[in-house]
């Protein structure tokens, strides 16, 4: 034992040294570092869970977006079809309206023409009557009662009904 | 010249000077050491370049007495180890952050390595409890052996308490009192956990008389053939129990001398190498001693951990 150098005082001193180191390391190394390691792993776990959650949400949102886009496309298609339909209808109606209007105008124009013709005929008849009265007066050199004369002519014309259609 | 020439990052002239310097140191080393002396005889080098003949003596030297308590050079070196470890860990953990600095990462790596080591062997629950002692043993042993390699340890001489010139510092692991102290701590630690976890069941493995008494019972109930078998197996169980108990105590001795022997051997190896050729030749052995220090620390801590894990495991006769 002496040759190896074992002695109680040194042994006690080394035991005390170890105890001292143990206590110091416990408070300055193990406790804070393990606390930190645990904290970090908890944090990492939390972050990973959050990432997973966000990923899930993202996927959900993507799906939702795709659904909305598809829906919007469908809706757009529907609106376009409807618009086309309405447009067609409007066109048809406009055509119809135009036709009706045109016909109306045509009828009106015809009426107008007829009226104008009647008027012209009336005027012509008057002029002719005056002319005839004048000519007849000149021929027979006698002035007939103008009023009488006119009635006479009208009557003739009515009877003859030549000019009148 | 388009291509830049050189050798290992130096230009040629520098490289040549470096190689010559190394060769010169090597030659002086050979001439000054015992190896060259034996081969070539004395070539008249100045005395401070000649290697001193190493003296090996196992007991430590007392540097001074403190209140009547002898303070040896290994105790002083152990204090330095404690100061070094404390400094590293104090500054490493002073301002801990979730996103660590480089120094904090290094400190955390060491702790994490040891913690993982404990948890791998002893499991999550006990790994944490064993960790504090196992890690302290590991850090103490490895720092002790590495500090032993620092220049100055084993070379600075002071006047000791008994008037002789003695080394001021000496590698702590080469003082048998430290391995012995660690072995005792390891022993107490293992037995403490064994008893704490298994209560009285812990002693079953040392005093396994169950089958022996069963044999007696069978003998009295007339089953002679069965009884003989049980008595024989029971005797073997008792013997194994005694062996277990003995091995438990022998661990103190094996722990002590494994560490003490390896470290003292390493120290003597370095002394001899420096004696044979003071420069260059010893360098690879310093590298070797770094590795040995790590391995011995790991073995001491690892065995303590394994023994504690075995101690908390219920023995098979519990079934």
């Amino acid at each position: 034992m002496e040759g190896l150098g074992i002695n109680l005082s040194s042994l006690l001193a080394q035991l005390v040294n170890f105890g001292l180191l143990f206590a110091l390391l416990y408070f300055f190394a193990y406790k804070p570092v393990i606390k930190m390691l645990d904290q970090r792993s908890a944090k990492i776990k939390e972050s990973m869970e959050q990432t997973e959650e966000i990923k899930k949400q993202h996927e959900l949102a993507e799906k939702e977006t795709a659904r909305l886009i598809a829906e919007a496309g469908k809706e757009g298609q529907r609106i376009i079809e409807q618009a086309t339909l309405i447009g067609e209808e409007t066109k048809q109606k406009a055509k119809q309206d135009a036709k009706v209007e045109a016909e109306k105008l045509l009828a009106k124009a015809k009426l107008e023409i007829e009226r104008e013709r009647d008027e012209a005929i009336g005027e012509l008849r008057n002029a002719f009557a005056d002319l005839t009265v004048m000519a007849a007066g000149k021929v027979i050199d006698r002035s007939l009662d103008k009023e009488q004369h006119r009635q006479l002519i009208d009557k003739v014309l009515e009877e003859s009904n030549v000019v009148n259609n | 010249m388009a291509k830049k020439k050189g050798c290992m990052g130096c230009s040629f002239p520098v490289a040549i000077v470096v190689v010559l310097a190394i060769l010169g140191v090597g030659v002086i080393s050979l001439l000054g050491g015992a190896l060259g002396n034996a081969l070539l005889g004395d070539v008249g080098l100045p005395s401070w370049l000649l290697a001193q003949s190493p003296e090996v003596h196992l007991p430590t030297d007392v540097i001074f007495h403190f209140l009547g308590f002898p303070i040896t050079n290994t105790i002083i070196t152990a204090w330095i180890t404690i100061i070094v470890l404390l400094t590293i860990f104090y500054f490493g953990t002073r301002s801990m952050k979730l996103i660590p600095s480089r120094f904090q990462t290094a400190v955390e790596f060491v702790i994490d390595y040891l913690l993982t080591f404990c948890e791998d062997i002893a499991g999550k629950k006990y790994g944490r409890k064993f960790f504090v002692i196992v890690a302290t043993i590991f850090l103490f042993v490895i720092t002790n052996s590495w500090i032993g390699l620092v220049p100055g340890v084993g070379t600075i001489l002071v006047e000791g308490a008994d008037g002789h010139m003695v080394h001021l510092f000496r590698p702590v692991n080469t003082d048998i009192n430290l391995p012995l102290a660690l072995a005792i701590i390891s022993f107490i630690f293992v037995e403490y956990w064994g008893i704490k976890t298994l209560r009285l069941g812990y002693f079953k493995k040392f005093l396994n008389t169950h089958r022996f008494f069963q044999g007696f019972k069978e003998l009295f109930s007339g089953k002679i053939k069965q009884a003989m078998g049980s008595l024989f197996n029971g005797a073997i169980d008792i013997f194994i129990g005694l062996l277990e108990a003995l091995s438990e105590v022998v661990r103190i001795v094996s722990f002590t001398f494994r560490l003490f022997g390896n470290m003292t051997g390493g120290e003597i190896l370095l002394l001899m190498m420096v004696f044979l050729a003071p420069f260059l030749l010893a360098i690879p052995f310093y590298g070797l001693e770094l590795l040995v220090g790590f391995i011995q620390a790991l073995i001491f801590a690892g065995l303590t951990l394994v023994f504690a894990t075995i101690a908390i495991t219920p023995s098979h006769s519990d079934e």
Side-chain angles (χ1 to χ4, degrees):
Chain A
M1 287 299 183
E2 271 303 305
L4 284 170
I6 297 177
N7 62 64
L8 195 61
S9 63
S10 276
L11 183 63
L12 279 178
Q14 297 296 11
L15 282 171
V16 168
N17 281 346
F18 183 86
L20 187 68
L21 181 70
F22 175 77
L24 291 173
L25 281 182
Y26 184 77
F27 286 109
F28 287 105
Y30 306 150
K31 233 167 115 178
V33 172
I34 286 181
K35 197 172 139 213
M36 183 51 63
L37 288 174
D38 283 349
Q39 241 176 43
R40 188 171 305 129
S41 63
K43 180 99 188 164
I44 288 171
K45 200 174 156 207
E46 194 183 303
S47 311
M48 273 164 97
E49 273 167 5
Q50 262 177 10
T51 315
E52 204 60 36
E53 188 66 26
I54 288 168
K55 222 187 201 169
K56 231 181 259 166
Q57 273 179 6
H58 179 74
E59 257 165 35
L60 223 68
E62 221 163 44
K63 234 179 254 171
E64 182 70 14
T65 313
R67 198 181 62 77
L68 281 177
I69 288 173
E71 216 164 69
K74 239 182 259 167
E75 180 76 13
Q77 202 63 35
R78 204 178 59 74
I79 288 171
I80 289 171
E81 268 166 25
Q82 210 175 16
T84 316
L85 215 69
I86 290 172
E88 201 64 35
E89 251 168 39
T90 313
K91 207 164 99 186
Q92 216 59 250
K93 200 168 163 234
K95 234 185 208 168
Q96 199 71 28
D97 280 359
K99 210 168 164 189
V100 169
E101 191 72 14
E103 263 162 25
K104 229 161 108 194
L105 278 176
L106 206 65
K108 207 173 158 192
K110 241 180 203 166
L111 227 66
E112 189 77 8
I113 290 166
E114 228 151 79
R115 199 182 56 79
E116 296 248 323
R117 197 193 62 181
D118 286 355
E119 219 167 74
I121 288 171
E123 250 168 53
L124 199 63
R125 196 191 272 168
N126 279 348
F128 184 67
D130 282 350
L131 213 64
T132 316
V133 170
M134 213 168 65
K138 283 242 170 100
V139 169
I140 57 173
D141 212 6
R142 180 182 73 137
S143 195
L144 279 175
D145 179 33
K146 210 176 179 182
E147 201 53 42
Q148 248 178 352
H149 208 111
R150 175 159 290 268
Q151 275 169 6
L152 184 71
I153 290 164
D154 276 347
K155 199 172 156 202
V156 173
L157 281 170
E158 215 105 307
E159 277 165 10
S160 67
N161 218 359
V162 180
V163 195
N164 213 5
N165 289 21
Chain B
M1 222 189 287
K3 201 176 155 196
K4 200 179 168 189
K5 291 199 173 181
C7 179
M8 295 207 293
C10 303
S11 60
F12 271 124
V14 176
I16 288 167
V17 168
V18 168
V19 168
L20 281 180
I22 291 175
L23 277 178
V25 169
V27 169
I28 292 172
S29 158
L30 269 178
L31 293 177
L35 211 56
N37 251 333
L39 291 176
L40 303 169
D42 196 1
V43 289
L45 279 173
S47 65
W48 54 270
L49 269 176
L50 293 175
Q52 305 283 315
S53 174
E55 318 163 25
V56 177
H57 65 135
L58 299 177
T60 53
D61 303 301
V62 179
I63 304 294
F64 62 91
H65 287 270
F66 181 73
L67 300 176
F69 196 87
I71 305 296
T72 63
N73 46 12
T74 48
I75 292 175
I76 293 173
T77 319
W79 289 343
I80 290 175
T81 299
I82 292 171
I83 290 167
V84 166
L85 275 175
L86 188 64
T87 311
I88 290 172
F89 282 107
Y90 175 73
F91 286 105
T93 61
R94 196 175 42 166
S95 55
M96 300 277 281
K97 290 191 193 72
L98 212 55
I99 295 161
S101 62
R102 277 187 218 175
F103 191 34
Q104 191 191 331
T105 311
V107 167
E108 278 180 7
F109 165 76
V110 173
I111 302 285
D112 193 36
Y113 170 78
L114 291 169
L115 189 61
T116 315
F117 178 63
C118 289
E119 285 183 348
D120 281 350
I121 289 175
K124 268 254 179 290
K125 187 185 166 198
Y126 288 104
R128 292 237 159 168
K129 290 174 176 165
F130 294 167
F131 165 76
V132 282
I133 288 284
V134 171
T136 310
I137 290 176
F138 178 83
L139 290 173
F140 199 26
V141 172
I142 196 171
T143 316
N144 277 340
S145 47
W146 284 359
I147 279 188
L149 302 176
V150 172
V153 177
T155 48
I156 298 173
L157 291 170
V158 292
E159 195 177 333
D162 54 355
H164 289 93
M165 293 302 277
V166 293
H167 296 299
L168 179 58
F169 305 117
R170 175 173 158 178
V172 195
N173 292 333
T174 65
D175 173 7
I176 194 160
N177 293 299
L178 177 91
L180 186 58
L182 290 182
I184 289 168
I185 286 162
S186 167
F187 175 78
I188 293 170
F189 168 72
V190 168
E191 304 308 311
Y192 168 77
W193 276 105
I195 293 166
K196 195 188 171 184
T197 315
L198 301 178
R199 308 272 161 203
L200 279 177
Y202 178 64
F203 295 104
K204 263 187 192 159
K205 126 173 112 167
F206 307 125
L207 211 64
N208 196 354
T209 53
H210 173 69
R211 268 207 284 193
F212 194 69
F213 286 127
Q214 198 190 359
F216 270 109
K217 219 185 278 169
E218 281 165 356
L219 194 65
F220 289 125
S221 56
K223 289 179 268 185
I224 305 293
K225 203 174 171 189
Q226 253 186 348
M228 292 321 271
S230 289
L231 279 174
F232 182 66
N233 284 332
I236 289 178
D237 280 351
I238 291 172
F239 183 63
I240 289 172
L242 289 176
L243 279 186
E244 286 267 5
L246 187 65
S247 78
E248 210 80 14
V249 180
V250 165
R251 275 178 204 163
I252 297 182
V253 181
S254 70
F255 262 137
T256 307
F257 284 98
R258 184 182 305 111
L259 183 58
F260 172 68
N262 270 294
M263 288 305 150
T264 309
E267 186 64 19
I268 291 171
L269 173 69
L270 289 181
L271 278 177
M272 290 317 293
M273 278 304 146
V274 171
F275 170 61
L276 289 176
F279 309 108
L280 283 185
L281 199 60
I283 292 172
F285 294 95
Y286 272 90
L288 181 73
E289 282 311 302
L290 278 178
L291 186 66
V292 168
F294 170 72
I295 289 170
Q296 286 307 318
L298 200 62
I299 286 175
F300 209 117
L303 280 179
T304 302
L305 181 60
V306 170
F307 290 153
T309 312
I310 292 171
I312 59 164
T313 313
S315 58
H316 294 297
S317 56
D318 275 9
E319 294 151 15

